[in-house]
Amino acid sequence: MVSLQVQSGVSMPAMNGTGIHIDNFNPPQVHQALDPPQTSQAIQTLSQIHDALEAVYSPRSTNDRRKEATAFLEQAKRDPQAPQLGQRLASDGSQPFAVRHYGLSLLEYPIKYKWDELDEEETTVLRGWVVQLAQGLRDDDAVFLRNKVAQLWEEVAKRSWAIDWLDMDALLVELWQGSLPHKTLVLYVLETLSEDVFNREDAAAALRGNDLAKACVDIFAPAAVLKQHYPSRGVEVEVRHGDEGWIKRLTNLLDWCLDNHPQKDERVHSCSIKVLATLKATVTWIMPKALHAARFLDHLYKALGVGDIQIQLATTEVLFAFYNRSHGPFVQEPEYTEMFTSMLAPERVNLLKDVYQYSLVDVYDLDDRKYALCKKFAEVMSMIGEFIEQRPSALPQHNVDLASFFDLLLEILRSPSLVVSIPVLHAWTRLLRCKAVNGSDTVTRLIPILLETCSSRLLRYESLPDDTDDTTFLFLIEDFDTLPERHAFLGNYRRYCMEVVEVIVRLKPFDAMHHILGQAERLFQNLYDGQPAFQIHTYTKNSIAFLRADAQVTIVEAALKGYLKRLADGDNIEKEREAECKSLEAYLEQWCHTILNIPVEDPDIKKKLIQAATTFATKALYENSEYAMWLVEYFLSLDIKDRPEFPKYSEAAKALEVEVMADLQRLAMLFANDMLGAYDQLDIRVQQILADPSSDGRRKAGCQAFLFIIIQRATILSEDNRRPRLQAMLQPVKESWQTPEVLSAMSSYDSFCDFLGVGRIIDFLRRQEFDKTEDWSSRELTPEGKAKQAEIISRCNRLPLRLLKTMLGASTEKLHEDSSIYKAACLLWADVIPAVLPGVLRLIGFSQAFTDLNNWSHLPNEHQQLVRKILTDRFWQAGISNESKDEFYARISGSKTSYEGFASTVRGSVRQIRETCYFVLYGMTRLQEHFYGIPDLAEPLAEALFTNANGLSAHQLSVLLSISTSLIEVCPANLRSQFLPPLLINLFTKLDNRISAEWEALERQKLEIAEAGTLVEEMKSESILRQLTHSTIQLISSLLEQPNGKQCISCRSTNANLCPVVLSLPTSPSQPSMRTFVLSHPNILEPLILFATHALRMRDSRSCSVVTRVLRSIIPAFQQRQHHSSSPPSSSASSAEAAGAAAAHQVREFISTEVLKACITSIHEPYFVELQRELAALVASILLLYAPTTATPREVLLSLPGMGAEKVDRALERIVHQSKGDEKFQRAVVLDLLEGVRGVSIHEQGRIERSAPRGRPKVQERFMEVDPSAAAAGMGRKDSPDLAGVADMFGAG
């Protein structure tokens, strides 16, 4: 217990190491003079505090001196006599403000960290001191000093108000009658109290959550409102003073401020802002009836019209805070509805228009405050718009100007700032779907402008050159610091634009489709208007012409989606308009013919047009086989010229060829019967392509797969005819793996290297003087080097991987597993797999071994350095690399004939082999039992995947993790026990060792790398490591979390292995869920839970957040088993039960020690400040479910410095017996218990306790989230896992 009584001779450590004795510090009573005698010892103490503060704040102090002074000041807070000293310093007006502020900190320590250890007399003294300090504040006291006093008031209130402090409201009202500074102090108390009780995760407030919440309602709401609307509401403790309530007092003060020229008087202006901040904290929880009684909206309306940017912004923040309350018991009250509808009155809509016009800014002369107002104002308008969509029937019949309000929404939508525009754009996507809105003339007249605006905004702004002088682009540069943020935002903006186009077409299908397609055709006919004509040697991937074409195709695709949905409506298409539908379909076909016949030399634009034409064939014109056959003929006769001397163009031409092959196969799947009739002609054309030496392997494999699909999917072909023809098509695949050359290449690692032409690569490198060349990208290859490079590429392509991958993918793509065609495909491949799978596994092992430097350890050190440089991937990373993605690829393409290009060929060939093998494995997973059921496959598969994986880089490991995830998730339940254990154990053991070591190395190297000037490379490495860590955690989550997505954190399961939720799931005992399978196999669970524990300490907040949730979900599964059966178990059952109980005990003890320690350590590290809520919840779960049966959690807590048994036992009692399943209360107990472990507030470790003004407010988070629907596609080849490891974020070379 901290004593506030006299203790002579108590010492505090001095900075010089000697004790400072504080004698004769008699504790003054609340109402006596606080002026103890100035003894020489006290004077010495004050002198040392002055010296220490001077050392801390002086810029001339050395670091050692500042640290020593800080340590002294912190240690002084712990002295039993510190509160008396603090009260004296804080109340002494002659002291400097910094000294008085430090005195308040001395008072703060016992209030925040020792309150529960004080008796009633001591808490009363402390509370009296705080009240006296508040009453004694002067007008000339510094703001930070007044705020600190208010903070202490609020800290005391959270602990004693409505318990033994019942006159707090009366004291606040008394202060309210004083000067503006006293009013400001009251405002601070009310704001922070509202925030901590209702809006923040504050431990002290949460411990008394319901009592404090009820007390806040009592003092804020007018008494008449409480009495009239809640007559049965009991008042156990009377805490309010007067009938008015703080809502009314706040709005009255706001009115007074607005009437007293806040623009001219800074004190009045500051008070206005503070009142609005307090209202913002209050409106998130107060009942709308109380706001209505205080004429709340009238006051805000008045504040909006003041014409001061700061007041208008603060007012808008208040409106945003209230309108954001879309759920809760009050949303159906008429007062809540009126808060929205009254804003639609004509005079108020006119004011809203004026405010928006006043907030407009020029991007070339940006006013940050105005721009912040403009963005927040747009969000408020969008909320009103969304309310109209949700509750159109609530709109009054009179005194509403919807036409003007919708005009305002349209004006905001057309803002050149997309950040301003996006909330209203989102509102329009909802309004246009509302029948009560989209059928009105008010909205119908706006549809053409909406369509034009959204169409023009589908341009990919992120691909524009950096020197683009476009207003919208410049606003984006202003709003987003990093490319990933810009990409995420623009992706959502485009999605909303497409939704608007889609809805408009659904409403007006015929007119809109004709308009959109006609506009697109005109653009495609005049792509280069105002632009230089296309030239191969000047080709760039994102030319203005391409971006315009891309945007137009996106509009067409959105329109098609809307048209198809309208057709799906069925009865909504009137019978008399069926002819119009037929006419439109004829126009669609004609349109496709027209755009494909436009001469286009840019391969990227051509690819877009082909994609659009194919989409029409498979969606809107799926019954038009003549058009489909015309498309096939067009594709097969398409002459795609490759110009290797122009690398960037060559890459684009190859991508076009890949797209053509994919579209051919899509058509074959849908029109197989029609194509079977023309099969002989198609076969002739394909054979010509196969015989053409200029056709590359991709095109040849694609054509063979095209013919395979026709035979496989044609339903008019009998099974007796189909099977032998398909077997004949697969025979070359099988035979290609049995040739002497391929068998020799796969016989050993050395043979593999020799086959690729890299067996004696070191000799070649030395001969070409690679070891004497510093910058490989600056030196061109010799003719011998170019020949060697071509040889490696040729040899790599001679491995029969591409045909295997293509045919395997074509065999199962878009086939349902219950279909006869799918089953027949599985049987076909069952004969092929034994011939190819052993070779695939060997190639995986060899290609991974090539990257392992241990396999090169026999070389001299200088030669090992060459190998290391050869194996180092070049990659681009969004938001980190100093160049754009296009510039990166241009640099890679431009260096193909350099020494660096040769190195890229070597590692790229090995990577291609490895990742193609991964794709093959993924294709085999689609064969289900025919792959997973192969006897004794698991061990050699795990060996091939993981034995030689030590040399893989972090992003190469990500690719391995991706294929491993597919292998695990697709495994049939009945084969898990024989297939998954080796895979899971090896995978997570490898990942844990590697990722943990990478994080440790990263932390060690950060400073060194920064000093060496290679921070960009370090950032790229760290970003990839974060992605790998998160992907691993996501896999663990999919394996261990509840199958129904719910968490059983507070369940009191009596089963050692499963919580009741899992037991209640309708799963067959022979096919348990994946969670059940993993939890019932301790050898599998061990590496998973070990990695999860290590992840709690890895500095990646996203991964740490997920892993806390995962660990919480499994904690109930390992509660100690309780026996309820009276009959003894059988010997075998008893043995199994004992084994299960022993395993559960081990897991339980591991969680109670290692997991608990990791959580506590992270809670008290600044990096994890934003995760303290999740970490505290995990600690609470451990204490709730394990502390009643094992002493281990208690012992861990007692081992912490300064943690007494009484304090720990009190916390355990609260969590286990008093929390009643209230997770917020449990978290609060944990945070309160741990907050004083080091004597440092959790808030002080990094979390900003009060919002700080920012020049550019963040875009609302909902507009920065990646669209979850993008991940909800099917299982086609295009939806296979990202085995390249570089999609969107990474590029490799």
Side-chain angles (χ1 to χ4, degrees), residues 646-648 651 874 888-897:
F646 302 108
K648 289 190 290 184
E651 291 293 329
R874 295 178 293 176
F888 167 79
Y889 279 119
R891 179 166 59 83
I892 296 297
S893 298
S895 65
K896 283 189 175 180
T897 58

Side-chain angles (χ1 to χ4, degrees), residues 1092-1098 1104 1107-1109 1111-1112 1115 1150-1165 1168-1169 1171-1183 1196-1197 1200 1230-1231 1234 1242 1245:
T1093 305
H1094 293 159
L1096 290 170
R1097 300 289 301 121
M1098 295 172 186
C1104 187
V1107 85
T1108 56
R1109 187 183 73 233
L1111 288 170
R1112 289 182 71 200
I1115 285 175
F1150 180 86
I1151 292 174
S1152 298
T1153 52
E1154 301 306 317
V1155 173
L1156 183 57
K1157 288 178 182 178
C1159 283
I1160 293 172
T1161 306
S1162 292
I1163 282 176
H1164 285 281
E1165 275 195 22
F1168 296 94
V1169 165
L1171 293 168
Q1172 288 173 359
R1173 172 188 170 120
E1174 291 93 332
L1175 291 164
L1178 177 53
V1179 172
S1181 296
I1182 296 171
L1183 301 181
V1196 170
L1197 292 173
L1200 297 173
V1230 170
L1231 292 174
L1234 299 178
I1242 285 176
Q1245 293 186 26

Side-chain angles (χ1 to χ4, degrees), residues 1203-1264:
M1203 192 70 72
E1206 182 182 352
K1207 188 174 184 180
V1208 170
D1209 291 340
R1210 183 168 59 246
L1212 291 175
E1213 172 68 19
R1214 284 173 164 178
I1215 291 174
V1216 176
H1217 297 113
Q1218 298 176 14
S1219 64
K1220 299 178 182 179
D1222 185 342
E1223 293 183 15
K1224 184 176 181 180
F1225 179 81
Q1226 294 167 8
R1227 292 195 302 269
V1229 173
V1230 170
L1231 292 174
D1232 182 65
L1233 174 68
L1234 299 178
E1235 190 162 16
V1237 168
R1238 300 191 302 175
V1240 178
S1241 165
I1242 285 176
H1243 295 301
E1244 292 173 358
Q1245 293 186 26
R1247 188 168 72 189
I1248 298 174
E1249 199 168 2
R1250 308 288 173 235
S1251 334
R1254 289 175 293 188
R1256 296 199 306 248
K1258 285 179 64 177
V1259 181
Q1260 194 173 1
E1261 287 184 8
R1262 62 175 173 153
F1263 302 129
M1264 295 299 297

Side-chain angles (χ1 to χ4, degrees), residues 1135-1153:
S1135 176
E1137 184 174 326
H1145 172 76
Q1146 289 181 338
V1147 174
R1148 190 165 56 248
E1149 291 300 306
F1150 180 86
I1151 292 174
S1152 298
T1153 52

